[in-house]
Amino acid sequence: MWERQLGRLTTRRGWGEAVTPVLHKGCLLVNWDQEMDSALYCLEAATGNTKWKASRDEVTTWTTPLVTEYQGTTQVILNGTKAVRSHDLADGHVIWSWSGMTVNAIPSVFRYGDAAIAMSGYQGTQAGVDPAVVEG
């Protein structure tokens, strides 16, 4: 139907790609985290054209975006080594973020009730966080 090249990935240790794109209401979301120029892309599913691109201060991750609605806003939540971030599906801006993950943030975020659950669990641990702190 269409083809789109986002460029060459420069991944940690040359381990390559392993991210699953997510299709949601005409948007194709692609996590493009790498060792430089990381980004979250929102493409028009029908054409492959860029709706928006959110630059991310991240290194290589292999996490699939979670798309979920909370209090009337559709959020795209991505795990990362430096932080878990929630982007607004409408324009890509960061709604909230929480730092404290460890290297190799590979597991994807999932939703349980009103909570977004993220883990990394590689060479280190972080304590839980008060949800009131994350929302801002």
Side-chain angles (χ1 to χ4, degrees):
M1 189 171 186
W2 55 264
E3 180 179 318
R4 175 71 189 275
Q5 297 293 324
L6 298 177
R8 182 176 174 87
L9 275 175
T10 305
T11 58
R12 183 173 181 239
R13 297 188 176 171
W15 287 344
E17 303 173 38
V19 174
T20 305
V22 173
L23 184 61
H24 182 81
K25 296 185 179 179
C27 296
L28 183 67
L29 297 148
V30 180
N31 175 6
W32 201 250
D33 285 349
Q34 56 183 319
E35 296 305 292
M36 58 186 184
D37 301 324
S38 293
L40 170 62
Y41 282 89
C42 180
L43 307 177
E44 294 175 358
T47 65
N49 294 330
T50 302
K51 290 183 81 165
W52 51 260
K53 175 185 173 186
S55 295
R56 289 172 47 83
D57 179 23
E58 275 302 337
V59 294
T60 304
T61 63
W62 297 272
T63 179
T64 301
L66 167 69
V67 180
T68 188
E69 187 173 316
Y70 182 72
Q71 295 183 343
T73 301
T74 303
Q75 300 182 33
V76 182
I77 305 175
L78 279 174
N79 202 354
T81 296
K82 296 181 180 181
V84 179
R85 293 177 191 84
S86 173
H87 298 265
D88 191 322
L89 179 63
D91 60 12
H93 82 270
V94 175
I95 297 170
W96 59 262
S97 68
W98 179 70
S99 60
M101 303 311 285
T102 60
V103 176
N104 284 352
I106 298 170
S108 297
V109 177
F110 66 96
R111 183 172 176 171
Y112 182 76
D114 283 342
I117 310 295
M119 61 191 115
S120 53
Y122 179 78
Q123 295 184 353
T125 60
Q126 293 291 329
V129 65
D130 180 345
V133 173
V134 174
E135 288 181 19

